[in-house]
Amino acid sequence: MTLSPKYDPTAHEGRIYEAWLSANAFAPSADAKGEPFTIVMPPPNVTGVLHMGHALNGTFQDIVIRFQRMRGKDALWLPGTDHAGIATQAVVERKLLEEEKTTRQELGREAFIERVWEWKEEHGDKIFAQLQRLGASCDWTRARFTFEEHFSRAVRESFVRLWDKGLVYRGARIVNWDCVLGTAVSDDEVEMKPLKAKLHYFRYPVEGEAERFVTVATTRPETMLGDTGVAVHPDDERYADLIGKRVIVPFVDRPIPIVADESVDPKFGTGAVKVTPGHDPADYERGARHNLPVINILEKDGRLNSDAGEFAGLSREEARKRVVAAMDERGLLEKIDTYEHNVPISDRSNTPIEPIVSEQWFVKMSELAGPAIQAVKDGSLTLKPARWTKVYLDWLENVHDWCISRQLWWGHRIPVWYDEDNVPVASRDDLEIGSAHPTTGKPIVRQDDDVLDTWASSWLWPFATMGWPDATPDLARFYSTQFLSTARDILYLWVARMVMAGYEFADHLPEGERCPFTTCYVHATVLDGKGRRMSKSLGNGIDPIEMIDAYGADAVRLSLVLLTREGQDVKLSEDRFEMGRRFTNKIWNATRFVLQNLDGERDDVNATPPTALEDRWILSRLARTVESVTNDLETYEFNDAATTLYRFVWNDLCDWYLELCKSRLTGGDEAGGRAARGTLVHVLDATLRMLHPITPFQTEVLWDALHGGNAPGLLITTEWPAADVAPIDEAAESEINVLQELVHAVRSIRALTALGERKALDAIVVAPGARERDVLETSADRARAMAHLASLEVHAAAERPASSAVGVATGFEVFVPLGDEVDMGALADTLARRVEKLTKGLAGVRGKLSNQGFLENAAPDVVDAERERMSEMEVELGLLERNLAGLLD
């Protein structure tokens, strides 16, 4: 079977994916013979489109599942999407307004939900098609949706169980209110952003004491209308005589007490702080300590309500301006400073959060957190990289109750009903209006209007996707799972909660086996080339589908993995995908070369072990590569696995072995050619198997071509190379290493002296060791051919020839006499400049490594990289100085 001169991904990717689907290659085996290995896909929002974070995470998951499938595991990668309450409702509301000039309120709840379902059916699976372009080998027949009928039943089951245990309650708490979306959001959906603001100093008149004031500082002037106290530190002598007295809130003429509270920082502002329990979490706690009333001055849309007096009806922003102006007019504005502080921003609407006191549903978290903490401590769960363990534990050990209610329509409606006396009851089944309350016997009059936080369904994802609460075969076989790959942003929002849910609800298993996954891999964040997060607002995103169209899915996948070192974020620009394309072209051309030289018989390397040095060497290198890559993939060291394969293919196979065996393939040595062909087929076969999890499309094409278009099945379901794929041959590796050292030394001389790459040179090797001399003398023909030498002399000892360049190798030195065509003076000047430049650079690196601050604060791998760089620079400088000295003698 012949291959086209150039690899064209568009000619193969579509048909290969269809072949996988037709063969049902993504489904676990029907006979359930192998040990199960399960991954559940972090469900992307149903509104989502593929971004680079998805592409990176999808690649990692696909590598793992393809690898485990080839290892004989009963592998299942279960996909799905999240109904994404806030995001989806916002998309459909915007569509209604733009296309029909109507709102959800005008449509009504039931009609609006129907419209959202219509939108979901039309657009909701777009990201699945994009993941398929990437090569994702999910079992699409098992795709799940967090708002499908079965999932709704699972959500109700979990809610009622928590209700029955007294872990769900409704109460008035200060919550994060998104005024744009009109709903509460959890603490974990709020991002603190540093912003410059104005710090206003307001003077509050002291009750009964003319011309005496207490000055307070605030960045939110409009909230003064909800103040119910002023707090000072009990040890602050400035206010000692005022504690217990009252000040008057301007505009609303409300007398409020001055209280002593140790939480006040005397150094901030004036040392006196206004207390607004209805609109600040810290003030809410202060107010509770001093029994201060809670006043809410805001409507749900962010406008001020009637408690704001003359400012009622104004937006927050307009009220802020008006309050400041009015305070100034009254002579109560002392000054305004510039102040930088952290502002809570909703990651849903990207607008400032408004803390308000609101009736919401909460889950008590402390009891649920205990098993999730223990899971990490007893080794049931491993987080990778390990540094995320502390982050995970810190959150769980200080966890707050979870606000699970949202004031939306799209989502799982809270399964609570009320009787005519407003007595609540939770139920797994709908309770009809007018039916008897299960406890009070009085008529049911309504269901709670709120819906559950999206995460209150997705925390059930690992087991609800498999049929829970029913005892299904999938649940029995595939839960718990082995691997989860996710972003750091949802370590609290999702990962920790899934662990809690697993221990709480997966009671079909003993408690010690309920952890939903064995390993949680926290993948890197993909940044742009300048190190910024990719975002719509910056316009710096890179579309993975466009990159797949331009470079091919395999090039995109390989590039992402090669660029992503564990624990380090990825700086990505479009041109970085060239490295993946160069590699796919390299392996394509290497396979074409092999196929073109497979005419004639070939030896089976398992039946007839090769004797040629280069054959023994490449088989030994193959065996080490299989061992290394297998171990790396078993431990989720993706970058290490890809780098090892890249170097083996590019360096060992293409640059060295193909060159070493060419003469046997094209010459008259029939036996040698047969052995070389057999070795090539064996090595390429195993190499394609190892590459398949990373570059699945191209390897499937090349696998079929290698087997003459009659491959014994698809590569995706072929076995992974065995540990004994080839024998380790220390002697062959040692001998070839000597030849490689010679070639590298000669190449360094060519680079140093600007002599041509193919110019035939005379070389003199001084090798004190007998082993190196024996190898170079025995393999002199190979050495001359590989290094492009006219002659090669090997000595145990010899003086350096005059006007020669030197190259250093491990165990020997190489001297190349320079002919008259080399201008010695110009070369000496060039080397002197390079010595000067390198000396300065080396001094800089040494200075950095002698800086204790750098050693203590930089990441360990960064310090190691600098040390390695210093060693390389020292070697290079030594070589330059030796060559320069030789020219000046």
Side-chain angles (χ1 to χ4, degrees):
M1 180 178 178
T2 58
L3 295 175
S4 60
K6 186 177 180 182
Y7 177 55
D8 178 9
T10 61
H12 301 285
E13 290 178 356
R15 70 174 182 84
I16 291 296
Y17 203 89
E18 285 301 319
W20 291 331
L21 289 174
S22 297
N24 202 27
F26 302 157
S29 60
D31 55 15
K33 284 184 178 178
E35 178 186 348
F37 188 99
T38 315
I39 301 174
V40 289
M41 175 188 291
N45 286 354
V46 71
T47 58
V49 293
L50 199 71
H51 57 61
M52 273 301 166
H54 291 133
L56 178 66
N57 195 12
T59 296
F60 286 152
Q61 292 173 82
D62 196 47
I63 288 171
V64 172
I65 207 68
R66 286 177 183 271
F67 170 68
Q68 295 293 348
R69 190 182 288 125
M70 296 177 78
R71 295 276 282 170
K73 299 290 180 65
D74 198 18
L76 169 63
W77 183 14
L78 195 152
T81 51
D82 193 292
H83 67 278
I86 292 176
T88 308
Q89 178 164 314
V91 166
V92 178
E93 284 196 73
R94 187 163 55 248
K95 184 173 183 287
L96 285 172
L97 193 61
E98 291 173 356
E99 297 179 5
E100 301 180 35
K101 310 302 181 190
T102 190
T103 65
R104 65 181 169 101
Q105 290 82 3
E106 291 171 345
L107 276 180
R109 185 168 192 148
E110 296 305 319
F112 175 75
I113 291 174
E114 286 182 14
R115 292 295 187 93
V116 182
W117 274 110
E118 289 172 6
W119 182 92
K120 188 268 176 187
E121 294 306 318
E122 185 177 349
H123 302 284
D125 293 338
K126 179 178 181 180
I127 199 165
F128 283 173
Q130 294 176 319
L131 284 165
Q132 290 173 4
R133 288 288 312 277
L134 184 69
S137 59
C138 308
D139 185 353
W140 301 107
T141 66
R142 283 178 163 87
R144 296 291 179 259
F145 179 51
T146 58
F147 204 16
E148 63 192 16
E149 183 178 349
H150 168 78
F151 225 98
S152 295
R153 191 159 64 85
V155 169
R156 282 200 180 183
E157 177 69 25
S158 65
F159 184 94
V160 173
R161 288 194 188 189
L162 295 174
W163 173 280
D164 290 343
K165 290 183 69 173
L167 295 179
V168 174
Y169 67 94
R170 185 170 176 82
R173 289 283 193 89
I174 194 159
V175 297
N176 305 301
W177 189 262
D178 188 318
C179 295
V180 172
L181 297 173
T183 183
V185 295
S186 71
D187 292 342
D188 305 303
E189 295 168 300
V190 176
E191 183 179 357
M192 303 303 290
K193 291 187 178 180
L195 295 174
K196 286 186 177 179
K198 293 179 179 178
L199 188 62
H200 306 81
Y201 289 77
F202 288 166
R203 303 166 72 209
Y204 285 6
V206 178
E207 184 182 42
E209 297 186 34
E211 300 305 315
R212 190 175 186 190
F213 302 88
V214 172
T215 301
V216 297
T218 179
T219 58
R220 301 171 66 214
E222 72 282 3
T223 63
M224 66 171 288
L225 303 167
D227 288 356
T228 58
V230 169
V232 297
H233 194 277
D235 299 331
D236 193 335
E237 295 180 359
R238 294 172 293 177
Y239 302 106
D241 70 316
L242 285 171
I243 296 172
K245 294 184 178 182
R246 301 195 298 181
V247 295
I248 305 299
V249 179
F251 311 120
V252 292
D253 295 328
R254 181 187 307 124
I256 59 175
I258 300 172
V259 299
D261 195 287
E262 291 186 349
S263 68
V264 176
D265 180 2
K267 296 178 182 178
F268 175 76
T270 64
V273 296
K274 59 193 283 297
V275 181
T276 320
H279 297 288
D280 184 276
D283 287 354
Y284 184 79
E285 299 296 331
R286 288 190 186 113
R289 286 195 291 271
H290 299 284
N291 296 313
L292 300 178
V294 176
I295 297 175
N296 177 22
I297 63 163
L298 290 175
E299 300 287 359
K300 299 298 176 66
D301 64 357
R303 295 185 178 276
L304 275 64
N305 63 26
S306 59
D307 284 322
E310 64 188 85
F311 302 98
L314 298 177
S315 68
R316 290 174 293 172
E317 297 77 16
E318 183 60 27
R320 186 169 300 170
K321 297 176 186 175
R322 297 273 190 95
V323 167
V324 173
M327 289 292 281
D328 194 19
E329 288 175 7
R330 293 190 178 197
L332 298 177
L333 176 62
E334 188 171 293
K335 64 175 181 175
I336 300 176
D337 287 342
T338 300
Y339 176 63
E340 184 170 307
H341 67 141
N342 288 325
V343 176
I345 302 295
S346 169
D347 69 4
R348 298 295 189 178
S349 65
N350 201 32
T351 57
I353 282 293
E354 194 63 56
I356 66 170
V357 174
S358 173
E359 284 275 337
Q360 301 288 340
W361 288 97
F362 295 88
V363 172
K364 297 176 183 177
M365 298 294 278
S366 56
E367 180 178 327
L368 298 175
I373 293 170
Q374 185 60 29
V376 166
K377 292 185 175 180
D378 68 18
S380 298
L381 171 62
T382 299
L383 280 87
K384 188 178 177 65
R387 71 172 187 273
W388 293 107
T389 303
K390 183 178 185 305
V391 178
Y392 169 93
L393 288 175
D394 284 349
W395 184 77
L396 282 171
E397 289 167 352
N398 298 280
V399 71
H400 296 153
D401 287 355
W402 175 16
C403 176
I404 58 169
S405 49
R406 297 291 181 269
Q407 289 64 53
L408 303 170
W409 287 355
W410 174 249
H412 295 280
R413 195 166 175 179
I414 290 177
V416 170
W417 284 260
Y418 301 86
D419 69 8
E420 58 190 13
D421 294 330
N422 219 32
V423 177
V425 64
S427 175
R428 291 175 174 83
D429 302 313
D430 284 349
L431 299 182
E432 293 185 11
I433 303 304
S435 64
H437 189 290
T439 304
T440 67
K442 294 184 178 181
I444 293 291
V445 296
R446 66 183 179 92
Q447 183 181 356
D448 199 286
D449 284 331
D450 290 350
V451 301
L452 288 166
D453 177 11
T454 295
W455 302 105
S457 53
S458 58
W459 76 325
L460 310 175
W461 187 250
F463 47 88
T465 51
M466 299 180 196
W468 184 91
D470 297 334
T472 64
D474 270 7
L475 184 65
R477 179 150 184 77
F478 295 111
Y479 185 87
S480 59
T481 74
Q482 283 66 49
F483 178 75
L484 175 79
S485 179
T486 189
R488 69 190 65 166
D489 308 18
I490 53 176
L491 192 58
Y492 319 137
L493 286 168
W494 190 47
V495 175
R497 288 174 180 164
M498 280 193 292
V499 179
M500 288 188 268
Y503 281 100
E504 181 65 22
F505 302 122
D507 49 8
H508 64 289
L509 291 172
E511 187 169 344
E513 300 174 18
R514 295 181 190 176
C515 191
F517 27 80
T518 307
T519 299
C520 173
Y521 183 88
V522 183
H523 66 71
T525 299
V526 182
L527 310 173
D528 71 5
K530 298 179 180 178
R532 303 173 300 176
R533 273 182 173 264
M534 293 184 179
S535 68
K536 290 180 181 178
S537 59
L538 291 175
N540 61 343
I542 299 175
D543 185 342
I545 299 302
E546 291 181 3
M547 297 303 99
I548 290 171
D549 290 340
Y551 296 92
D554 293 319
V556 169
R557 291 166 61 115
L558 177 62
S559 298
L560 286 172
V561 179
L562 287 172
L563 290 169
T564 308
R565 295 185 63 188
E566 183 182 301
Q568 296 183 16
D569 290 339
V570 188
K571 289 184 180 180
L572 188 65
S573 54
E574 292 187 16
D575 59 356
R576 303 300 296 274
F577 294 106
E578 279 292 345
M579 76 167 73
R581 177 153 62 187
R582 286 195 297 271
F583 180 86
T584 56
N585 288 338
K586 188 82 168 179
I587 189 69
W588 183 266
N589 290 333
T591 305
R592 286 187 71 235
F593 172 82
V594 172
L595 295 177
Q596 290 166 358
N597 286 277
L598 285 187
D599 291 338
E601 296 183 13
R602 68 193 73 149
D603 286 341
D604 180 346
V605 298
N606 294 315
T608 310
T611 57
L613 173 61
E614 58 265 29
D615 293 350
R616 292 163 42 219
W617 170 77
I618 194 63
L619 290 170
S620 185
R621 293 295 304 131
L622 173 67
R624 292 191 190 278
T625 302
V626 169
E627 179 183 19
S628 177
V629 172
T630 302
N631 182 66
D632 287 339
L633 292 183
E634 288 281 12
T635 55
Y636 311 118
E637 301 288 348
F638 303 108
N639 176 268
D640 289 351
T643 301
T644 297
L645 278 168
Y646 187 99
R647 290 172 177 166
F648 174 75
V649 170
W650 199 286
N651 299 333
D652 294 345
L653 179 58
C654 296
D655 286 358
W656 288 98
Y657 182 69
L658 293 183
E659 293 299 319
L660 285 167
C661 75
K662 270 182 182 177
S663 61
R664 292 159 58 209
L665 292 171
T666 57
D669 182 358
E670 183 177 336
R674 187 168 59 244
R677 285 190 291 273
T679 302
L680 276 171
V681 170
H682 187 78
V683 172
L684 188 56
D685 176 284
T687 301
L688 292 175
R689 295 180 198 227
M690 286 190 288
L691 282 170
H692 179 75
I694 303 174
T695 56
F697 290 106
Q698 188 188 51
T699 51
E700 193 74 72
V701 175
L702 296 180
W703 167 264
D704 190 49
L706 184 63
H707 291 83
N710 296 300
L714 292 167
L715 178 56
I716 188 174
T717 52
T718 298
E719 291 182 2
W720 184 256
D724 59 353
V725 64
I728 299 289
D729 192 324
E730 301 276 3
E733 290 193 51
S734 176
E735 290 181 41
I736 292 292
N737 184 61
V738 172
L739 296 178
Q740 290 175 326
E741 289 279 339
L742 170 67
V743 171
H744 291 318
V746 173
R747 285 176 181 170
S748 73
I749 291 172
R750 292 180 188 276
L752 200 68
T753 58
L755 293 169
E757 291 185 8
R758 299 277 176 171
K759 178 178 174 59
L761 302 176
D762 297 317
I764 301 166
V765 172
V766 177
R771 183 182 69 87
E772 287 79 11
R773 293 198 305 274
D774 289 345
V775 171
L776 292 173
E777 289 168 351
T778 302
S779 301
D781 290 342
R782 288 193 186 92
R784 283 193 295 270
M786 294 297 294
H788 301 292
L789 298 176
S791 65
L792 174 64
E793 298 178 20
V794 181
H795 304 284
E799 293 293 324
R800 176 179 178 177
S803 301
S804 65
V806 61
V808 178
T810 303
F812 57 92
E813 293 180 328
V814 181
F815 301 106
V816 172
L818 301 177
D820 294 338
E821 70 267 29
V822 176
D823 185 331
M824 298 298 180
L827 179 58
D829 289 342
T830 299
L831 296 183
R833 287 194 297 271
R834 289 180 62 183
V835 166
E836 182 181 6
K837 182 178 180 181
L838 191 57
T839 301
K840 290 180 180 178
L842 184 57
V845 176
R846 285 172 173 164
K848 185 183 289 188
L849 288 171
S850 64
N851 183 329
Q852 198 61 31
F854 170 75
L855 297 177
E856 292 175 355
N857 297 319
D861 55 336
V862 173
V863 175
D864 290 343
E866 285 298 305
R867 285 178 175 145
E868 185 177 348
R869 183 176 167 220
M870 181 177 71
S871 298
E872 291 172 352
M873 293 172 79
E874 288 171 342
V875 170
E876 184 181 356
L877 181 61
L879 184 59
L880 285 170
E881 288 176 338
R882 284 196 63 193
N883 275 283
L884 181 60
L887 294 177
L888 297 176
D889 287 344

